[in-house]
Amino acid sequence: MNKKVNFFGVLCFSISMCGFAQQLPIVIGTDSTQIQELDEIVITDSKFKLKRENSGKVITKIKQADLQHQQGKSIAEIINATAGIEINGTKSNAGQNLNYYIRGGRNRQVLVLIDGIAITDASQIANDYDLRLLNADQVESMEILKGASSTLYGSGAATAVINIKLKEASKKAISANFRSVVGSNQSQNDTKYNIEDFRNSVSINGTLDKFSYLASFGNQFTNGLSSLSSEIEPDKDAFNSINGNLKLGYEFSDSLILNVYGSFDDFKADFDDTFSGSEVKDFSETNQYRLGMTSEFNYNSGSLTLNAAYNNTKRDISSSYPAIYNSESFVADVYNRYKFNTNIYTVLGLNTQQNTMESFAVPFGSSSFEQSINPDTAKFTIIDPYTNVVYQSGFGLNVNAGARLNNHSEYGSHLVYSLNPSFKKTGNFGYIKGLASYSTAYIVPSLYQLFEPSYGNKDLQPEENTTIELGTEINLKDKATFSLVYFTRKETNFIDFVDLGSFVYQYKNVDNTFTASGIEFNGDFKFSKRLKLNGNATYTRVEDVLELRIPKFKVNSTLLYDLSDTTFMSVSYQFNDSRTDAVFNDTTFMTDAITLKSYHLVDFYVSHKLINNKVLLFANMTNIFNEDYQELYGYSTRGRNVNLGLNISL
């Protein structure tokens, strides 16, 4: 290679080069190019704040109001109700590993951004970010952009980018928020409703003249549910997490803003032996801390932004196969946005990333840890210049195009690009928009896949993806928005875990080309000021090698009703089609394909505001009909559960 009480009882350097800007709907933070504040804006597909109607993509935006109506749920659970997304593990034991299946892809093809900066774990097989680390109470909003987006975000942005924005300081001198949730955590066979789920968070924040501050802390302890469903007398596998976040900001002038932050996220999850199906005292523990800064300099016709972050993660696995993994990553992204005239604007940027990992294992016949992956060897650097240009005509045509040159310390240079035209027709009814896109993406092998001594392969080459999208979006003023998108995605150089015979396995590039395609529908309809219906449906067709745990059909819908100015309620429904799972057969030593039956879930949520809206009481009931189903073969799933919560804002 080159280079568990009963429930009912109680990121480098600066660049400054010319680019271009669009007409009226541009909003660049608080800079001089801001023209107006927009009610519905998106940012992920261009790094500019644009009206949704002027975007050539269908972007799912989960705002703070949406999150407030789903209190008591994790971030992964909330995202899992999005069109085209299946996050496997969200309905199981709280500590269950999460698998992201989007448009036929896997974890390694989904990139997570937090406050605009890519975050990964370089020691993971898929180099992905574990959403179990994130506390939902710390999140302000999210945008989900599906399709290949490597031109703006680099390696891993092949099937989706999940852009998460954390909460910012209040404009008041001091504000505080406290939230507490208690609930049950039981399977379909348990109807005791013991309190086994505890979630608490507290934050204090504010602004003093030019200085802003935010400090928050959260904790979750969940018990009562075994990770496996096959145990005769199931044990309780606990999940315990803590999160802390500190953000400080200073406005030096109207044109220069600086924010620095630090955070830690830790969890410990008990699990059982999946091979023997027996109760054991295995656990995994993950500790992560991040340090970062973001600065924005606004000038007459644009802005220059620098985001940089250092991330350190340690994972300790205590089991029959104990291991320790350490990883470090540094990411810096500097980009210039510049207004040139009323029709064209651009982003010109440079992204750099450095990853290293180290692992320890206990060799056969030994009782102590030995280093298995050396960080002096297991490392790489990426330096990517990129550009993105948007043209918006005065007659409805919009074009978003970009390119990125990936320069990898091991693979040399690799060019990716995207072209995304759309056309919008506006009328008294609202607007209708047609869109198309052609985009490429790449996924570099993880350090684990390259350097793991038993399975690694230093000759691996990056996967490549090409995605084509065709779609339409219709907006009926103050009434409804509907969208329909067809996609087809082709994978080449697919990295698979290959059986070489004689019980020898290795990661290898597969010569075949694989295709995933499907249709995604979104609809939001307002019956009245108080009654709304949101829904989405997805059809996904994949080739055999990609079909693991991916439902062919998936439907989500939510009926939202404001009973009064202070009382809100909603009913949510989800249908998951049958899926294929893979199970190792310890008799034949082969992997068997298992079909998991389809299932339906119905949830209910209600909240009520008190004391001038400073106090919010809320309750959730999930899986109302106690549906018995399997999310993962051999693993437990949650039955009917209830939680109660209290939120106080001061």
Side-chain angles (χ1 to χ4, degrees):
M1 174 184 176
N2 295 324
K3 325 220 169 188
K4 121 174 320 185
V5 204
N6 182 286
F7 183 84
F8 291 111
V10 312
L11 115 300
C12 146
F13 73 94
S14 297
I15 60 173
S16 179
M17 303 183 71
C18 289
F20 310 94
Q22 63 145 6
Q23 61 192 105
L24 288 177
I26 299 179
V27 180
I28 309 177
T30 58
D31 67 22
S32 59
T33 60
Q34 178 172 334
I35 295 177
Q36 64 183 80
E37 189 63 39
L38 306 172
D39 293 330
E40 178 66 17
I41 58 175
V42 293
I43 192 172
T44 309
D45 64 329
S46 67
K47 291 197 173 183
F48 274 81
K49 294 182 179 180
L50 305 175
K51 280 186 177 181
R52 173 175 176 162
E53 64 189 78
N54 292 325
S55 171
K57 291 281 192 173
V58 174
I59 299 177
T60 300
K61 184 156 188 174
I62 303 173
K63 296 173 286 190
Q64 180 59 206
D66 304 313
L67 295 173
Q68 289 293 319
H69 291 160
Q70 300 185 73
Q71 297 188 75
K73 290 186 176 182
S74 68
I75 288 298
E77 288 177 281
I78 294 169
I79 295 174
N80 194 40
T82 302
I85 295 181
E86 170 62 18
I87 302 184
N88 204 259
T90 59
K91 308 176 187 72
S92 302
N93 176 277
Q96 178 64 48
N97 291 330
L98 300 177
N99 294 288
Y100 316 143
Y101 302 108
I102 303 178
R103 291 189 169 182
R106 300 290 187 267
N107 292 42
R108 64 177 179 265
Q109 295 157 323
V110 179
L111 188 65
V112 175
L113 309 177
I114 295 183
D115 286 340
I117 197 78
I119 179 169
T120 62
D121 180 354
S123 71
Q124 294 274 16
I125 296 175
N127 195 39
D128 57 323
Y129 175 70
D130 192 340
L131 286 172
R132 291 178 298 176
L133 287 164
L134 190 61
N135 191 311
D137 295 345
Q138 296 175 345
V139 175
E140 175 65 27
S141 63
M142 295 183 285
E143 285 186 1
I144 301 170
L145 169 64
K146 294 188 291 295
S149 303
S150 282
T151 55
L152 276 176
Y153 300 108
S155 176
T159 62
V161 172
I162 300 173
N163 190 0
I164 299 171
K165 185 178 185 298
L166 300 184
K167 291 180 177 178
E168 296 183 349
S170 167
K171 297 301 182 182
K172 298 193 298 184
I174 184 169
S175 297
N177 189 85
F178 169 77
R179 183 177 299 169
S180 182
V181 184
V182 296
S184 60
N185 182 49
Q186 60 193 29
S187 68
Q188 294 85 355
N189 298 323
D190 187 355
T191 57
K192 297 178 182 178
Y193 297 98
N194 295 319
I195 295 180
E196 300 279 11
D197 189 8
F198 305 85
R199 309 184 192 203
N200 299 284
S201 67
V202 60
S203 71
I204 183 169
N205 61 92
T207 301
L208 303 171
D209 194 17
K210 295 180 179 296
F211 173 72
S212 63
Y213 64 94
L214 182 150
S216 63
F217 177 82
N219 167 253
Q220 175 183 354
F221 177 77
T222 304
N223 204 0
L225 185 64
S226 173
S227 61
L228 296 180
S229 61
S230 57
E231 297 178 74
I232 298 175
E233 295 183 6
D235 66 325
K236 296 181 179 182
D237 292 318
F239 176 80
N240 192 4
S241 71
I242 57 173
N243 310 84
N245 182 38
L246 176 65
K247 182 187 293 186
L248 305 174
Y250 193 81
E251 184 178 348
F252 290 92
S253 66
D254 291 339
S255 59
L256 180 59
I257 300 171
L258 174 66
N259 290 283
V260 296
Y261 58 86
S263 66
F264 67 89
D265 306 279
D266 304 330
F267 74 76
K268 180 179 177 181
D270 298 341
F271 64 94
D272 295 317
D273 189 332
T274 58
F275 291 100
S276 68
S278 62
E279 176 184 335
V280 293
K281 297 299 181 182
D282 293 347
F283 70 88
S284 67
E285 186 170 6
T286 298
N287 311 109
Q288 171 191 264
Y289 70 84
R290 301 174 66 225
L291 300 171
M293 59 87 67
T294 179
S295 65
E296 182 173 282
F297 174 69
N298 304 299
Y299 56 94
N300 187 47
S301 297
S303 67
L304 182 66
T305 301
L306 169 63
N307 289 331
Y310 167 80
N311 192 77
N312 181 290
T313 306
K314 178 180 179 180
R315 295 188 293 124
D316 188 344
I317 300 174
S318 177
S319 69
S320 301
Y321 304 94
I324 298 173
Y325 299 94
N326 301 318
S327 72
E328 292 183 319
S329 68
F330 173 77
V331 181
D333 188 25
V334 57
Y335 56 92
N336 186 73
R337 297 177 291 193
Y338 184 87
K339 178 179 179 179
F340 185 74
N341 61 28
T342 58
N343 298 102
I344 306 173
Y345 66 95
T346 192
V347 172
L348 184 63
L350 182 74
N351 180 275
T352 183
Q353 181 178 160
Q354 179 174 291
N355 288 350
T356 63
M357 79 161 290
E358 178 182 28
S359 70
F360 298 87
V362 178
F364 182 77
S366 178
S367 60
S368 59
F369 281 101
E370 294 182 12
Q371 188 182 68
S372 52
I373 299 179
N374 190 325
D376 294 333
T377 303
K379 60 183 179 180
F380 65 73
T381 301
I382 297 175
I383 302 176
D384 296 0
Y386 63 92
T387 186
N388 198 77
V389 179
V390 174
Y391 168 72
Q392 295 196 335
S393 71
F395 56 88
L397 176 66
N398 303 312
V399 181
N400 188 338
R404 186 185 195 102
L405 183 63
N406 172 253
N407 298 286
H408 196 285
S409 59
E410 302 296 331
Y411 302 114
S413 299
H414 188 92
L415 179 68
V416 291
Y417 54 91
S418 64
L419 178 62
N420 176 208
S422 62
F423 186 83
K424 177 192 65 176
K425 180 65 176 177
T426 303
N428 293 331
F429 67 93
Y431 68 83
I432 181 169
K433 177 175 64 177
L435 60 90
S437 71
Y438 181 91
S439 51
T440 62
Y442 66 98
I443 309 98
V444 298
S446 69
L447 291 171
Y448 183 95
Q449 291 171 329
L450 291 168
F451 297 106
E452 205 285 329
S454 299
Y455 313 123
N457 181 359
K458 296 180 181 180
D459 294 324
L460 287 174
Q461 294 298 309
E463 290 183 4
E464 298 184 25
N465 278 215
T466 300
T467 300
I468 298 174
E469 292 177 289
L470 297 170
T472 186
E473 182 173 274
I474 301 173
N475 174 266
L476 306 178
K477 267 184 192 176
D478 302 319
K479 194 68 175 180
T481 301
F482 304 103
S483 66
L484 187 68
V485 175
Y486 166 81
F487 71 87
T488 181
R489 184 177 62 86
K490 182 173 69 174
E491 289 190 12
T492 57
N493 273 352
F494 180 79
I495 298 176
D496 202 3
F497 192 54
V498 178
D499 184 355
L500 303 180
S502 301
F503 304 104
V504 177
Y505 294 83
Q506 189 179 44
Y507 292 101
K508 295 182 70 69
N509 292 105
V510 179
D511 292 334
N512 297 15
T513 297
F514 303 105
T515 301
S517 59
I519 298 174
E520 298 167 351
F521 167 81
N522 280 280
D524 302 327
F525 188 85
K526 185 185 295 186
F527 295 96
S528 67
K529 183 179 179 180
R530 295 187 181 276
L531 182 63
K532 303 175 186 178
L533 177 65
N534 302 332
N536 60 73
T538 307
Y539 167 76
T540 306
R541 183 178 64 186
V542 295
E543 297 188 28
D544 291 348
V545 71
L546 303 178
E547 71 175 356
L548 181 71
R549 298 173 188 156
I550 297 177
K552 181 174 290 187
F553 293 98
K554 185 174 180 179
V555 176
N556 297 282
S557 65
T558 304
L559 187 66
L560 307 96
Y561 182 55
D562 286 299
L563 186 63
S564 67
D565 292 339
T566 57
T567 303
F568 168 84
M569 60 180 61
S570 67
V571 178
S572 300
Y573 167 79
Q574 183 179 99
F575 168 74
N576 264 42
D577 204 0
S578 58
R579 293 134 289 123
T580 299
D581 206 347
V583 181
F584 179 75
N585 190 319
D586 56 7
T587 301
T588 64
F589 300 102
M590 301 289 287
T591 299
D592 297 336
I594 303 293
T595 299
L596 305 179
K597 295 182 180 180
S598 62
Y599 61 90
H600 309 256
L601 298 177
V602 179
D603 299 344
F604 174 76
Y605 174 87
V606 61
S607 65
H608 183 70
K609 298 175 183 177
L610 299 169
I611 314 177
N612 296 322
N613 298 335
K614 295 182 180 298
V615 176
L616 179 72
L617 304 176
F618 59 90
N620 272 301
M621 178 178 288
T622 59
N623 192 1
I624 292 175
F625 299 108
N626 204 31
E627 179 95 351
D628 192 0
Y629 66 99
Q630 287 184 309
E631 184 183 32
L632 289 154
Y633 181 79
Y635 289 84
S636 297
T637 52
R638 297 201 300 270
R640 183 191 300 113
N641 283 279
V642 181
N643 66 46
L644 300 175
L646 167 69
N647 190 90
I648 302 174
S649 299
L650 302 174

